[in-house]
């Protein structure tokens, strides 16, 4: 079966192998004549990036690129990229890569026309209304991993350099206008990145499904997203050229990001400060926190995960689901502890304080406090 489709949910998505060939057409459809391709350092010299630039240049759209993007993109990266955008007189962004390239590319298109500092648009109350919406440049998103789902999201996660905190920058109009989801671009992902990004998608679905907020559409999307990860992540990990598995993981990533409109929780609240302070891979960090957070939330979520387990074909209800998560992590080489992830001498008080300020706390089914967050941290040390 050919997995190729055009979707208009939640934005315009051109999905299917080989569809990167439509990148120039997508730019023109979005009104972009002089795009800046924003990606991360690791992708700068890869063949998929060069080939994409060739397609843009061949259509008379130039081959401008900004790739000084950290694995956890920062305000410093954003300032430098906005400067490059303005100096190049660009009129739109091709956000290309994993979560770091996508998040920074979206912020560049957002901030290039603003006069206020980036932190004035943090996802707090209605701060997004401070922005000049008409000055936001068009965005084409091209994911090359299957994890964050940033290509279908209205926010970016940016690290505040002076405090080493991850902050969420939000505006409805940084939802990319056109997305090209081409599973061919993910074939070269190393196993380690396949695992970490895939479990990021899974964590999004698990936390959205756990959230107490009312959003039945997201609830259903989260459930099916978990099924796709369960069936296809082991296949993509075992054989990176399995296009059916790669395609379904790209779908799961987008589904996770749509689903977490319903909320995230303690996994992300803790993962954000650990990643900001210790520069760990976001999805892998989520995977480390998932087992103890499931146990923290047991009383509130056991019944709904009994139903999820039945749908997923997992015996044993909630406990069976938790056992599946443990087995999945182990089979994908995920460390069981933060120290095995390279986190040395973490300042638990600072991590807990940062976690309590993270907006993800609001979607956790059990009210979070310093004691229960510290308890989760201690279990993974």
């Amino acid at each position: 079966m050919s997995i190729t489709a055009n979707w208009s949910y939640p934005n315009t998505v051109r999905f299917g192998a080989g569809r990167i060939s439509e990148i120039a057409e997508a730019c023109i459809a979005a009104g972009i004549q002089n795009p800046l391709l924003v990606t991360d350092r690791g992708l700068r010299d890869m063949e998929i990036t060069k080939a994409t630039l060739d397609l843009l240049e061949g259509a008379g759209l130039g081959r401008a690129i900004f790739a000084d993007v950290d694995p956890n993109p920062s305000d410093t990266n954003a300032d430098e990229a906005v400067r490059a955008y303005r100096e190049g007189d660009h009129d739109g962004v091709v956000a290309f890569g994993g979560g770091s390239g996508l998040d920074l590319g979206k912020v560049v298109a957002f901030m290039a026309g603003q006069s206020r500092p980036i932190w004035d648009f943090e996802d707090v109350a209605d701060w997004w209304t401070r922005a000049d919406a008409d000055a936001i440049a068009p965005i084409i998103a091209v994911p090359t991993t299957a994890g964050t789902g940033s290509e279908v999201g209205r926010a970016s996660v940016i690290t505040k350099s002076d405090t080493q905190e991850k902050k969420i920058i939000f505006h409805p109009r940084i939802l990319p206008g056109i997305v090209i989801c081409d599973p061919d671009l993910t074939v070269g992902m190393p196993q380690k990145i396949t695992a970490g990004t895939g479990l990021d998608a899974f964590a999004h679905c698990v936390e959205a499904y756990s959230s107490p907020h009312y959003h039945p559409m997201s609830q259903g999307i989260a459930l099916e997203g978990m099924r796709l990860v369960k069936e296809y992540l082991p296949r993509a990990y075992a054989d990176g050229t399995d296009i059916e598995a790669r395609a379904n993981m790209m779908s799961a990533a987008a589904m996770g990001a749509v689903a977490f409109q319903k909320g995230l929780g303690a996994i992300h609240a803790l993962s954000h400060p650990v990643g900001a302070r210790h520069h760990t891979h976001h999805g892998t960090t989520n995977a480390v926190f998932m087992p103890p957070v499931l146990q923290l939330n047991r009383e509130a979520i056991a019944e709904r995960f009994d139903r999820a387990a039945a749908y997923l074909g997992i015996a044993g209800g909630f406990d069976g689901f938790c056992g599946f998560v443990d087995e999945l992590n182990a089979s994908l080489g995920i460390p069981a502890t933060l120290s095995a992830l390279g986190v040395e001498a973490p300042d638990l008080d600072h991590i807990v304080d940062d976690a309590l300020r993270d907006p993800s706390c609001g979607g956790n089914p059990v009210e979070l406090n310093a004691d229960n967050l510290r308890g989760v941290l201690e279990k993974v040390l």
Side-chain angles (χ1 to χ4, degrees):
M1 180 183 69
S2 174
I3 303 177
T4 303
N6 293 333
W7 297 327
S8 57
Y9 181 76
N11 46 1
T12 298
V13 180
R14 303 182 182 200
F15 191 100
R19 299 198 71 176
I20 190 61
S21 63
E22 301 173 27
I23 183 65
E25 179 190 333
C27 285
I28 293 167
I32 303 172
Q33 297 292 328
N34 183 22
L36 177 65
L37 187 146
V38 177
T39 192
D40 61 67
R41 295 185 185 93
L43 280 168
R44 182 203 306 265
D45 298 320
M46 290 189 66
E47 187 56 39
I48 57 172
T49 310
K50 293 177 181 178
T52 302
L53 290 170
D54 289 344
L55 289 167
L56 292 172
E57 186 176 38
L61 302 178
R63 58 183 304 118
I65 181 172
F66 180 89
D68 290 329
V69 181
D70 296 325
N72 292 299
S74 68
D75 48 2
T76 301
N77 298 152
D79 290 343
E80 293 172 354
V82 167
R83 188 178 309 115
Y85 181 94
R86 291 171 176 167
E87 289 175 354
D89 197 26
H90 297 289
D91 61 355
V93 168
V94 174
F96 187 91
S100 55
L102 296 178
D103 277 8
L104 194 74
K106 288 158 62 178
V107 160
V108 171
F110 174 58
M111 288 301 299
Q114 307 302 322
S115 58
R116 303 179 69 142
I118 188 172
W119 307 122
D120 281 3
F121 308 112
E122 187 180 345
D123 188 15
V124 175
D126 63 351
W127 286 12
W128 64 272
T129 61
R130 298 169 170 175
D132 179 354
D134 293 334
I136 301 172
I139 304 164
I140 307 294
V142 184
T144 65
T145 66
T148 69
S150 185
E151 66 273 11
V152 295
R154 302 167 297 163
S156 290
V157 179
I158 303 295
T159 299
K160 195 170 188 288
S161 299
D162 57 351
T163 61
Q164 288 296 292
E165 292 177 276
K166 285 191 176 185
K167 300 284 190 178
I168 297 174
I169 305 302
F170 171 83
H171 194 282
R173 289 181 62 175
I174 63 170
L175 179 70
I178 300 175
V179 178
I180 294 179
C181 276
D182 184 342
D184 282 345
L185 300 181
T186 69
V187 165
M189 267 198 298
Q191 277 192 320
K192 185 176 181 180
I193 302 301
T194 297
T197 55
L199 288 167
D200 190 22
F202 192 63
H204 291 160
C205 293
V206 167
E207 290 213 290
Y209 192 75
S210 300
S211 168
H213 302 317
Y214 181 75
H215 199 318
M217 291 177 288
S218 285
Q219 191 79 343
I221 291 168
L223 183 59
E224 178 64 3
M226 285 190 277
R227 185 190 70 82
L228 291 182
V229 175
K230 175 179 179 286
E231 293 195 13
Y232 291 103
L233 180 54
R235 280 177 51 176
Y237 182 79
D239 178 6
T241 65
D242 184 338
I243 285 295
E244 182 183 14
R246 291 294 196 188
N248 278 286
M249 283 307 302
M250 291 195 94
S251 295
M255 292 167 75
V258 171
F260 72 60
Q261 290 182 34
K262 184 172 178 278
L264 292 169
I267 293 173
H268 279 77
L270 287 163
S271 180
H272 284 155
V274 169
R277 292 178 178 276
H278 297 276
H279 311 294
T280 56
H281 182 268
H282 173 65
T284 308
T285 312
N286 282 342
V288 172
F289 279 120
M290 198 179 308
V293 170
L294 284 168
Q295 295 304 322
L296 169 68
N297 293 329
R298 169 186 282 272
E299 184 175 345
I301 66 174
E303 184 176 345
R304 78 184 66 171
F305 273 91
D306 286 345
R307 297 192 296 271
Y311 177 76
L312 297 170
I314 297 170
F318 174 74
D319 288 329
F321 181 86
C322 293
F324 163 75
V325 170
D326 291 339
E327 291 170 6
L328 182 63
N329 277 1
S331 71
L332 300 176
I334 300 299
T337 64
L338 290 177
S339 56
L341 198 59
V343 176
E344 298 180 1
D347 187 327
L348 299 190
D349 290 336
H350 276 149
I351 291 172
V352 168
D353 287 346
D354 289 352
L356 285 170
R357 288 194 297 270
D358 193 286
S360 301
C361 282
N364 201 71
V366 170
E367 185 174 354
L368 297 175
N369 55 52
D371 289 338
N372 58 24
L373 284 173
R374 192 180 185 96
V376 170
L377 274 168
E378 289 174 345
K379 285 180 180 178
V380 296
L381 289 177

